[in-house]
Amino acid sequence: MSERPPELPITDALVAAAEQSSAWPFEEARKIVARIAGRAAGSTVVFETGYGPSGLPHIGTFGEVARTTMVRTAFRVLTRDAVPTLLLCFSDDMDGLRKVPDNVPNREMMAGYLGQPLTRIPDPFGTHPSFGAHNNARLRSFLDRFGFAYEFASATDYYTSGKLDGALLKMLAAYDEVMAIMLPSLGEERQATYSPFLPISPVTGEVLQVPILERKLDAGTIVFRDPANGSLTEVPVTGGAVKCQWKADWALRWTALSVDYEMAGKDLIDSVKLSSQICRVLGAVPPDGFNYELFLDEKGQKISKSKGNGLTIEEWLAYASPESLSLFMFQKPRAAKRLTFDVIPRAVDDYFQFVSGYHRDETDMARRLGNPAWHIHAGDVPTLDVPITFTMLLNLASASNAHTRDVLWGFILRHVPGVTPTTHQKLDELAGYAVRYYQDFVEPTKRFRAPDEVEREALEKLDAALAAVETDGHDDPDAVQSAIYEVGRSFPRFQDAAKSSPDGRPGVSLTWFATLYQILLGLEKGPRFGSFVAIYGIAETRALIRRALAGELVAAPAG
């Protein structure tokens, strides 16, 4: 993938709005603009994201790249794209394997390589030269699929090629100062063995956490006792013979690569502080950035690469588009959010609403820059005609027990004029996602219940009301919804005293609509019921009511 981002048309109106925008990417970008004030023209502003490839890539990794890209785009607008930028995706693939991840094959084989750099461990999947290379490829594959402009960096390559040698020698010279920063943050036992340098054993190839017994500044070497044979061993700190502990490594990269911006999770606030102190000791200015909140699983626990308890990139993309995932990353980055399958439908529908809203705000640049769609698409927001929501498609799938998108298109073609899979390819894509999501998450949880006597009477009355609408030929969503409301307000159970119709009659409570979804679809909630009936079909809905009254749905929930 190209390192250079796509062209960004920039106007005076765009820049003026960007300078005042309260959207968080512009707030972050303004910090970088202030940071580089007075810097020599032509110098590159470096954005970095870090990746620890000890486990398979997860969405949190993608989120960091997506969010950093949004800040980079905002910076390009504020500087009229006159300042060169680089997004460096850095993989710490030289790190030693501390434990075997739970979600990989051939775990017994991998157990024999504990302590080895990830790029020296055979790939348990059998597809790449090493485990680190496999996970790096998985990350790059998704980043390329999404179209990110970035440069991928491997710690193994950077250490062994000498790109970090200058900063490593600075670290050696400032060894005592680095130790003074780090030791107070460690427990007594860890203090006894800590060193910012982790030598690679010439005997076993393991990344060692051992005390450094001697430093030779003129030679650029360190001396330690190799536990493999007990002998004193001298190795250079350059050329890949050592790597740094990760907090020191972070500062090393910031220094060697002149990183200007890097964000990190809230759990790394203390680490950022320590790495920043080390960075200053090495004679560099630590990057700007912010601490984002963590993603949580269904139990409210932090997602983990090694545990595999969060959604993978591939899992999200099996049920929704990359744009919906990017929206999830844009929204409230400083708030903890559950990253589970049930957040997908709303993210999908919200994405299309934001795209539609962006085009409605054609003359209001400030509102456009506050719209997530602008940041997702770097200002080049597509025009999308998707007349049916993802949630609606899920309910159609539930009512029809759809296992192919053709079933959904049967309803769409009958009730939405001028729409076909060819003319509305985005809707066709959405139908495919909906069927897959329905099969995997909705169908297994459908729980129909039988109506009680009041509900039976209400359903019978609704059947008659829909028959009248059908006879009159008024099958538009508003006419259907009106009929549904009329039936609901005629039963005290479904009335809402806090609401009233324009003519003063009782309002209709949400209980009425929940009742319809529970009895007819086996679900707890759904979209506007009138719109559902209009697309699913009045005749089909009446047949569904008759099946519910006959007890067939409870007896055979699969339909």
Side-chain angles (χ1 to χ4, degrees):
M1 183 58 59
S2 170
E3 299 172 11
R4 181 172 177 80
E7 293 298 321
L8 187 64
I10 298 176
T11 64
D12 291 343
L14 176 61
V15 174
E19 290 173 343
Q20 302 300 320
S21 178
S22 61
W24 68 263
F26 284 109
E27 292 179 343
E28 291 300 298
R30 284 193 285 270
K31 295 193 305 188
I32 308 171
V33 171
R35 173 189 177 91
I36 67 169
R39 185 179 292 185
S43 59
T44 299
V45 170
V46 179
F47 297 79
E48 184 184 58
T49 64
Y51 168 54
S54 58
L56 302 183
H58 63 71
I59 290 178
T61 307
F62 161 70
E64 194 166 303
V65 179
R67 288 167 171 166
T68 304
T69 297
M70 292 172 186
V71 177
R72 182 188 188 186
T73 301
F75 175 82
R76 292 176 61 204
V77 171
L78 291 171
T79 57
R80 296 180 181 270
D81 213 9
V83 180
T85 62
L86 171 66
L87 172 55
L88 194 65
C89 295
F90 199 99
S91 171
D92 190 15
D93 56 17
M94 200 172 165
D95 195 17
L97 182 68
R98 294 176 178 82
K99 68 173 184 175
V100 179
D102 297 331
N103 55 352
V104 298
N106 299 315
R107 299 183 73 246
E108 296 80 5
M109 176 275 292
M110 291 190 68
Y113 289 89
L114 291 177
Q116 294 281 337
L118 298 172
T119 45
R120 295 188 185 181
I121 299 172
D123 179 15
F125 297 89
T127 59
H128 291 80
S130 70
F131 182 48
H134 174 91
N135 288 339
N136 287 343
R138 291 280 295 271
L139 176 67
R140 292 197 304 272
S141 175
F142 179 75
L143 297 180
D144 291 346
R145 175 179 178 180
F146 193 81
F148 287 115
Y150 68 97
E151 178 182 305
F152 186 80
S154 158
T156 300
D157 293 344
Y158 272 54
Y159 271 99
T160 57
S161 68
K163 289 183 179 180
L164 304 178
D165 282 357
L168 284 163
L169 292 172
K170 289 181 180 179
M171 183 83 69
L172 182 64
Y175 185 91
D176 291 336
E177 293 171 271
V178 174
M179 291 289 282
I181 292 170
M182 287 302 305
L183 290 181
S185 70
L186 305 171
E188 183 177 349
E189 182 177 348
R190 187 71 187 91
Q191 287 180 358
T193 60
Y194 181 83
S195 165
F197 295 111
L198 299 175
I200 310 299
S201 169
V203 179
T204 65
E206 291 183 25
V207 181
L208 301 176
Q209 297 195 36
V210 293
I212 301 305
L213 304 179
E214 186 180 357
R215 291 173 290 123
K216 299 181 179 181
L217 298 183
D218 292 342
T221 60
I222 55 174
V223 178
F224 64 96
R225 190 173 299 281
D226 194 324
N229 55 19
S231 65
L232 290 178
T233 303
E234 181 176 350
V235 298
V237 297
T238 54
V242 307
K243 77 172 300 291
C244 285
Q245 295 271 7
W246 84 268
K247 294 183 183 69
D249 182 81
W250 217 0
L252 182 83
R253 297 201 313 253
W254 292 346
T255 301
L257 307 176
S258 301
V259 175
D260 291 295
Y261 188 87
E262 180 162 3
M263 58 180 67
K266 187 178 180 180
D267 57 334
L268 299 181
I269 289 177
D270 289 340
S271 299
V272 170
K273 292 178 180 178
L274 291 172
S275 296
S276 295
Q277 292 177 45
I278 296 173
C279 185
R280 293 186 183 95
V281 164
L282 299 181
V285 179
D288 285 312
F290 79 90
N291 295 104
Y292 54 82
E293 262 289 3
L294 306 179
F295 296 123
L296 310 175
D297 64 13
E298 66 277 0
K299 298 178 182 178
Q301 298 178 342
K302 173 191 170 184
I303 64 169
S304 163
K305 293 188 298 293
S306 58
K307 291 181 180 179
N309 61 330
L311 290 182
T312 65
I313 292 168
E314 289 80 4
E315 284 171 336
W316 184 291
L317 294 182
Y319 306 104
S321 67
E323 292 84 3
S324 64
L325 175 56
S326 195
L327 171 63
F328 184 81
M329 297 302 166
F330 175 88
Q331 293 176 309
K332 299 179 180 178
R334 292 182 175 88
K337 296 187 289 187
R338 287 192 313 113
L339 184 54
T340 53
F341 287 104
D342 57 354
V343 307
I344 292 177
R346 179 171 180 178
V348 172
D349 284 338
D350 283 352
Y351 166 72
F352 288 109
Q353 288 180 13
F354 281 123
V355 169
S356 177
Y358 176 87
H359 290 292
R360 287 195 305 271
D361 293 329
E362 186 174 0
T363 61
D364 192 333
M365 186 61 72
R367 285 179 60 86
R368 280 190 157 191
L369 294 188
N371 187 317
W374 189 93
H375 300 272
I376 293 169
H377 294 285
D380 187 17
V381 182
T383 300
L384 301 174
D385 182 12
V386 181
I388 302 175
T389 66
F390 188 63
T391 305
M392 179 67 75
L393 290 171
L394 287 176
N395 280 273
L396 287 174
S398 185
S400 61
N401 193 35
H403 283 245
T404 69
R405 71 178 73 188
D406 292 341
V407 174
L408 298 186
W409 272 108
F411 297 109
I412 297 169
L413 292 172
R414 274 189 293 162
H415 300 287
V416 185
V419 174
T420 70
T422 302
T423 61
H424 288 68
Q425 294 181 10
K426 204 68 177 178
L427 179 58
D428 186 48
E429 176 186 284
L430 209 58
Y433 287 138
V435 168
R436 200 172 300 127
Y437 190 95
Y438 163 71
Q439 289 178 306
D440 291 349
F441 301 108
V442 179
E443 187 177 23
T445 63
K446 288 169 68 172
R447 297 292 183 269
F448 294 92
R449 68 175 179 84
D452 60 26
E453 289 305 313
V454 173
E455 292 165 341
R456 289 185 67 86
E457 183 182 352
L459 287 173
E460 290 169 350
K461 191 169 182 178
L462 178 60
D463 182 36
L466 291 177
V469 171
E470 189 174 29
T471 300
D472 293 340
H474 300 302
D475 60 349
D476 65 275
D478 290 336
V480 173
Q481 188 78 355
S482 178
I484 296 169
Y485 266 97
E486 289 301 316
V487 173
R489 68 165 46 93
S490 66
F491 290 84
R493 176 189 293 187
F494 303 127
Q495 294 174 358
D496 187 342
K499 302 177 182 177
S500 63
S501 65
D503 58 6
R505 291 181 298 158
V508 180
S509 73
L510 295 178
T511 303
W512 169 229
F513 298 99
T515 297
L516 294 175
Y517 278 106
Q518 291 165 7
I519 295 174
L520 300 180
L521 297 180
L523 305 173
E524 291 298 318
K525 58 184 179 179
R528 192 170 185 262
F529 200 75
S531 299
F532 165 75
V533 174
I535 297 175
Y536 184 56
I538 293 178
E540 289 81 0
T541 304
R542 292 185 64 207
L544 202 59
I545 291 173
R546 290 193 293 272
R547 292 186 65 199
L549 292 173
E552 296 177 11
L553 298 181
V554 174

